[in-house]
């Protein structure tokens, strides 16, 4: 039952045709898990809390950085370095004290996903990487949960509803029906490399929240079996129909995935195969202090190098093939980027080109700032 304060708070929603008291009470008795409090997560958390969803769960482990503020508009400049999750929880509580919040300050993985997701009615995925998307999808299918999906890159965004329960008891298509296997890592540049239009995350995140609220309140026509594609640069939109695949490894006629797997390895993002090809920031620091500094290759973009660097040679990964002649063949070379993924691609390329004295800096600039130089600017 709604109390007097809630009747006033949700008045503009309650008077909507097809919504009413019944729809509001459905929201109040519902629970939603939001994965991430970033560009997509923030509009979801804001609108779900404002709409009166009774219980919101949040999975988030990251800290606020200055580079987040271009699109993650809930955070403030003076909060850089603080916990995203704790800030988001505070925002929800201040926005609507009627909403209870469960905060999971952890990275979602195959060990904890089923336990965390299993306690909620609906899941909203605001993650920004392929391993988490496949992980969340598979967990939702195994648990029989509906998933509201979205993704953004540069000027384009997409939204859909996966694994939705239909009137006949069957489930709609899921993420693996749309993307059966992940593309090669080199074909999926991150937002660090490709960028993202700030306002787009608000648009797409709000669309996600719109679908979640409709699902919980039993309203309208949902994006089950359809993928909505939006181009913010040219303001165009289109729909793609998605059909269930009988060969889907998690939901097909003969599923081969009956438990959660190693999604980093599945997406080709596992650690270096040979530990001898890797060096830690502590090891590199000791080499520099002892006067045995190696040649350092920074494969980030020039604007990243301008923010913070280790005084290495800056050749962006995309230019490495054309500028390979600048690298010493017979000198120990340490390659780094922001987190270690682009430098791993560079390592693999250079090994094929005959370079043998090369190592990947584990964790990249992020690890250096965390373990060696806390004053270094992080973006």
């Amino acid at each position: 039952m709604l109390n007097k304060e809630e009747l006033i708070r949700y008045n503009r929603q309650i008077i909507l045709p097809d919504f009413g008291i019944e729809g509001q009470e459905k929201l109040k008795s519902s629970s939603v898990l939001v994965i991430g409090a970033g560009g997509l997560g923030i509009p979801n958390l804001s609108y779900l809390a404002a709409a009166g969803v009774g219980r919101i769960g949040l999975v988030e482990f990251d800290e606020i950085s200055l580079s987040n503020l271009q699109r993650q508009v809930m955070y403030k400049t003076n909060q850089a370095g603080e916990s995203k999750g704790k800030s988001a929880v505070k925002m929800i509580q201040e926005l609507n004290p009627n909403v209870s919040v469960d905060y999971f300050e952890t990275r979602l993985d195959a060990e904890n996903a089923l336990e965390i997701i299993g306690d909620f009615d609906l899941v909203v995925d605001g993650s920004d990487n392929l391993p988490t998307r496949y992980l969340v999808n598979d967990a939702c299918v195994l648990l029989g949960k509906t998933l509201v999906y979205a993704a953004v890159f540069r000027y384009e965004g997409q939204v859909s509803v996966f694994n939705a329960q239909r009137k006949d008891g069957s489930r709609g298509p899921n993420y693996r029906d749309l993307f059966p296997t992940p593309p090669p890592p080199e074909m999926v540049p991150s937002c660090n490399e490709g960028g993202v239009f700030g306002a787009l995350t608000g648009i797409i995140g709000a669309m996600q929240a719109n679908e979640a609220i409709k699902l919980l309140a039993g309203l309208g026509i949902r994006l089950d079996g359809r993928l909505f594609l939006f181009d913010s640069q040219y303001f165009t939109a289109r729909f793609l129909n998605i059909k269930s695949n009988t060969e889907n490894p998690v939901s097909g006629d003969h599923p081969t995935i009956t438990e959660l797997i190693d999604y980093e390895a599945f997406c080709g993002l596992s650690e270096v195969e040979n530990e001898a090809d890797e060096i830690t920031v502590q090891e590199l620091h000791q080499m520099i202090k002892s006067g045995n500094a190696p040649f350092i290759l920074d494969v980030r973009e020039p604007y990243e190098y301008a923010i913070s660097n280790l005084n290495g040679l800056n050749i962006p990964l995309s230019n490495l093939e054309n500028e390979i002649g600048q690298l010493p063949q017979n000198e120990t070379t340490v390659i780094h980027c922001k987190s270690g993924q682009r430098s791993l691609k560079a390592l693999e390329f250079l090994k094929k080109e005959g370079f043998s004295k090369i190592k990947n800096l584990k964790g990249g600039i992020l690890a250096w700032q965390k373990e060696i130089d806390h004053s270094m600017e992080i973006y």
Side-chain angles (χ1 to χ4, degrees):
M1 298 292 292
L2 303 173
N3 59 40
K4 185 176 180 180
E5 189 269 350
E6 290 171 316
L7 291 171
I8 296 171
R9 177 186 290 269
Y10 309 126
N11 171 262
R12 299 300 189 273
Q13 199 160 265
I14 290 172
I15 62 176
L16 285 171
D18 302 324
F19 199 96
I21 294 287
E22 183 181 358
Q24 194 62 56
E25 289 179 342
K26 285 180 179 179
L27 289 186
K28 184 176 181 177
S29 63
S30 299
S31 60
V32 178
L33 179 68
V34 178
I35 313 297
L40 294 174
I42 286 171
N44 272 288
L45 293 167
S46 301
Y47 283 111
L48 292 171
V53 172
R55 184 166 68 98
I56 295 176
L58 170 62
V59 179
E60 179 58 80
F61 64 92
D62 205 359
E63 294 180 348
I64 301 166
S65 70
L66 199 61
S67 65
N68 296 150
L69 305 184
Q70 164 258 3
R71 61 202 178 280
Q72 300 175 21
V73 296
M74 180 183 73
Y75 307 123
K76 305 296 184 288
T77 302
N78 61 4
Q79 290 182 296
E82 296 180 8
S83 163
K84 281 186 182 181
K86 291 178 181 177
S87 178
V89 170
K90 182 180 179 182
M91 179 276 293
I92 294 170
Q93 293 170 335
E94 291 178 346
L95 176 61
N96 191 348
N98 299 304
V99 177
S100 65
V101 186
D102 294 340
Y103 173 39
F104 304 92
E105 192 171 15
T106 184
R107 183 190 296 271
L108 199 70
D109 58 29
E111 297 297 322
N112 59 24
L114 294 177
E115 181 179 357
I116 293 174
I117 291 174
D119 198 32
F120 292 86
D121 300 324
L122 182 70
V123 178
V124 173
D125 186 6
S127 64
D128 61 357
N129 62 86
L130 287 176
T132 303
R133 288 174 191 157
Y134 279 99
L135 165 68
V136 173
N137 176 80
D138 291 0
C140 285
V141 173
L142 294 174
L143 292 167
K145 304 289 183 180
T146 299
L147 169 63
V148 184
Y149 156 82
V152 292
F153 181 65
R154 291 181 175 163
Y155 295 99
E156 299 179 3
Q158 51 187 242
V159 189
S160 190
V161 172
F162 292 137
N163 202 46
Q165 186 165 18
R166 295 173 168 174
K167 291 182 179 179
D168 62 1
S170 65
R171 290 277 174 177
N174 61 72
Y175 187 72
R176 284 183 181 270
D177 291 310
L178 180 63
F179 302 111
T181 56
E186 61 271 16
M187 298 298 292
V188 190
S190 67
C191 289
N192 291 329
E193 300 168 79
V196 62
F197 195 51
L200 174 67
T201 63
I203 294 167
I204 297 299
M207 288 182 176
Q208 261 188 302
N210 181 71
E211 287 303 296
I213 293 169
K214 283 165 50 184
L215 284 160
L216 296 173
L219 293 172
I221 299 174
R222 56 200 182 182
L223 278 171
D224 173 21
R226 296 182 297 159
L227 179 71
F228 175 77
L229 300 163
F230 177 65
D231 187 321
S232 64
Q233 186 175 17
Y234 299 103
F235 214 94
T236 58
R238 59 195 177 104
F239 288 91
L240 294 180
N241 292 325
I242 310 169
K243 293 185 178 180
S244 297
N245 181 2
T246 57
E247 301 298 319
N248 187 312
V250 73
S251 62
D253 292 345
H254 306 286
T256 56
I257 297 177
T258 56
E259 60 184 22
L260 301 183
I261 61 176
D262 182 345
Y263 292 89
E264 293 283 334
F266 174 69
C267 294
L269 297 175
S270 54
E271 300 290 334
V272 295
E273 294 182 5
N274 186 351
E275 290 186 3
D277 291 338
E278 194 167 60
I279 185 173
T280 67
V281 292
Q282 296 289 352
E283 290 170 334
L284 176 59
H285 187 228
Q286 287 301 318
M287 290 176 70
I288 295 172
K289 284 177 62 178
S290 65
N292 296 315
F295 185 87
I296 297 177
L297 171 64
D298 187 330
V299 295
R300 297 174 300 155
E301 297 299 310
Y303 85 89
E304 296 177 272
Y305 187 88
I307 295 171
S308 56
N309 62 75
L310 302 180
N311 298 316
L313 174 65
N314 181 213
I315 303 178
L317 180 62
S318 58
N319 297 343
L320 188 57
E321 184 174 0
N322 297 327
E323 300 186 35
I324 195 171
Q326 296 190 52
L327 304 180
Q329 280 262 5
N330 300 314
E331 186 177 342
T332 299
T333 299
V334 173
I335 314 168
H336 82 84
C337 60
K338 182 179 180 180
S339 63
Q341 290 301 323
R342 280 175 283 175
S343 55
L344 180 56
K345 297 174 188 176
L347 176 85
E348 293 169 348
F349 167 73
L350 291 175
K351 286 178 70 175
K352 291 178 182 177
E353 295 297 315
F355 287 78
S356 58
K357 296 183 177 182
I358 52 176
K359 293 182 180 293
N360 180 50
L361 183 62
K362 187 175 182 179
I365 279 285
L366 291 178
W368 188 273
Q369 189 274 344
K370 185 177 181 180
E371 299 182 35
I372 307 299
D373 184 2
H374 302 308
S375 66
M376 179 173 282
E377 293 287 344
I378 289 301
Y379 54 96

